[in-house]
Amino acid sequence: MTEQKKAGALSSLAGVSVSRRRFLAGAGAAAGALASAGLAAPAIAQSRPKAKIGYWPIAGGLAFFAAVERGYFADAGVDVEPVRFAGPNQVVEAIISGRIDGSATGTASTALALGDAQDPGSIRLFCMNFANAEHVLDHVIAPRDSAVTSISEFAGKRFACGPGVNNVTLARAILEKAGIPNPKVTELPGTQILPAMAAGQIDGAYVLEPTAVIGRNKGISKIVETAVVSKYVLGDPMAPWLGGAASLSGAFVKENPAAARAVVAGYARGVDHVREAGLDANQYLKGYTAIEEDLQRDVPVSGYRMTSEMSEADWAAMQKLFDLFYERKVVPQKLNAAGMALKL
C-alpha cells in the first residue's frame, strides 16, 4: 500500500484505548507489595508480546470483552489492548494502516473483506459472531408510538442506519427485499440514531444491539421486525448472518506467530465462556458499550463460530452475504469468504 493511502487511512482514525482493569489492578498490587519489601518489580509482564485489537461498542463484541476482563489473553501469553472506534470502517482503516493488529467480533465481516480486497492477505479472520431468529442482534425499529407494523410500510418515510457502507448496503437490501423500490437511507453515527428518532427526525432505522434495548427501555423506540438480515438478505430467519468477525492483520501473524496463536486461544476461551454463561456474560458489556447494569439481561447474546468450527453451510451463508456487495458494485471483484480464514 502507498504511503499516501496509509496517510489517508490514518486521518480517519478515532480510536481510544481501554485498559484492562484486571491486569492493571493486579500489576499495581504486585508492584506495591514488592516496593514495600524494598525489591524492584520484575519486568515479567513486559516480556509478553502485545496486540492492539480494535472494536466498536456493540453487543457482538461480547466474547472479546469477556476474554479481556477475565484475563484469558494474559493466561495465553499475550497482552491485549482494546482500542475503541466509532464504527467498523475506522477499525478496518486502522488495521490497514498498521495502527492496530486486529479486530474484535462485531466488526463487520464485509468491511474487513473490503479492506483485504485493497491488499489481499492483509486481514485474516479467526472468529465470527452471527445472528438469526434465535441469536438476535439486528432489528428494524420505529418510534414507540409509530403506527408502522412491518418493514414494507416504510415506503416514503425517513429511514436511517449506522455508519459505513456495510450498514447502508444492508439497510437498502432489507428495504428492497421487503418491497420498497429505490429506498433512501440516511447514514448516522450509531449514538445519534435514538436521539434523531426521539426528535422526530427519522421514522425508522436498521440497528444492531444494544440500540434496540436502549431505545425500548428509554421509551423512544419499538422493534418492528427482528433478524432482518437473515430473513430478507439470506432468505431464511434461521440462516446465520455471520456479520461480524475477529481478525488479525497478515503482518502481525507473519511477524508474531506465537502471539497470534495466543490471541486466538484467549479469544476461544472468551467464546466458550459466553456460550456457558449466556446472559450472565452480559456483565462484560459495561464499559465497552452504552449498556448499564440494569439493562444487561435485556440484551440478546450473539452466536459465535471460531473458523475451525465453520461448516460448509456456514461458509455458504457468509459467501452469499459477500456476493451481495459484489452484485451491488460496492466492490469491483468477488470476495472469497472462506479464503480469508486465518491458518496458523
Side-chain angles (χ1 to χ4, degrees):
M1 175 170 291
T2 65
E3 294 302 319
Q4 184 178 6
K5 285 186 179 179
K6 290 184 178 180
L10 288 172
S11 67
S12 62
L13 186 61
V16 180
S17 296
V18 178
S19 298
R20 288 195 292 111
R21 293 188 290 272
R22 174 187 293 271
F23 175 78
L24 290 179
L34 288 167
S36 65
L39 299 173
I44 296 176
Q46 296 177 348
S47 67
R48 279 200 296 253
K50 294 176 172 56
K52 291 184 177 181
I53 302 297
Y55 75 96
W56 68 302
I58 66 168
L62 180 59
F64 174 67
F65 309 148
V68 172
E69 293 301 315
R70 295 180 70 84
Y72 292 155
F73 293 117
D75 290 347
V78 61
D79 289 335
V80 164
E81 178 184 352
V83 185
R84 179 170 174 161
F85 292 87
N89 284 12
Q90 287 78 14
V91 176
V92 176
E93 289 163 1
I95 295 173
I96 293 171
S97 68
R99 296 297 298 270
I100 60 174
D101 303 306
S103 68
T105 42
T107 306
S109 55
T110 45
L112 291 163
L114 292 174
D116 186 69
Q118 298 177 39
D119 185 8
S122 61
I123 300 176
R124 302 291 84 178
L125 312 180
F126 66 86
C127 181
M128 322 295 183
N129 66 281
F130 72 89
N132 55 18
E134 180 181 359
H135 296 279
V136 178
L137 177 67
D138 54 315
H139 314 270
V140 164
I141 63 172
R144 180 187 61 181
D145 298 326
S146 171
V148 170
T149 59
S150 68
I151 294 177
S152 62
E153 296 173 44
F154 283 108
K157 297 186 181 296
R158 298 162 300 176
F159 197 85
C161 70
V165 66
N166 179 75
N167 286 315
V168 174
T169 301
L170 289 175
R172 287 176 176 161
I174 291 163
L175 294 174
E176 289 176 6
K177 296 287 187 180
I180 301 175
N182 302 314
K184 294 183 179 179
V185 177
T186 300
E187 183 179 351
L188 292 175
T191 56
Q192 292 185 21
I193 288 176
L194 290 177
M197 189 165 284
Q201 297 169 346
I202 58 174
D203 303 308
Y206 160 67
V207 300
L208 305 179
E209 289 293 6
T211 300
V213 164
I214 295 172
R216 183 179 67 237
N217 281 276
K218 290 185 177 296
I220 296 172
S221 64
K222 67 177 183 179
I223 294 174
V224 176
E225 291 192 47
T226 202
V228 289
V229 177
S230 294
K231 178 178 178 181
Y232 290 98
V233 176
L234 301 180
D236 178 0
M238 287 305 297
W241 169 43
L242 294 143
S247 70
L248 289 172
S249 75
F252 181 82
V253 174
K254 182 178 180 180
E255 296 166 9
N256 306 278
R261 285 191 289 272
V263 170
V264 173
Y267 217 108
R269 288 188 66 191
V271 168
D272 286 342
H273 175 74
V274 172
R275 288 170 176 167
E276 293 169 4
L279 288 174
D280 288 341
N282 277 352
Q283 63 182 294
Y284 300 114
L285 293 174
K286 185 176 181 181
Y288 293 93
T289 73
I291 285 290
E292 296 299 329
E293 191 170 346
D294 58 332
L295 298 182
Q296 286 171 1
R297 297 193 70 82
D298 292 336
V299 180
V301 177
S302 293
Y304 292 92
R305 294 271 198 280
M306 302 299 291
T307 52
S308 59
E309 301 171 322
M310 292 277 284
S311 67
E312 289 187 11
D314 290 334
W315 284 120
M318 193 169 181
Q319 188 62 51
K320 187 173 183 178
L321 178 68
F322 280 22
D323 289 347
L324 171 73
F325 283 71
Y326 172 70
E327 293 162 4
R328 290 173 179 263
K329 303 186 187 310
V330 178
V331 292
Q333 74 272 4
K334 281 203 169 189
L335 304 171
N336 183 355
M340 287 190 66
L342 172 63
K343 296 178 176 62
L344 290 172

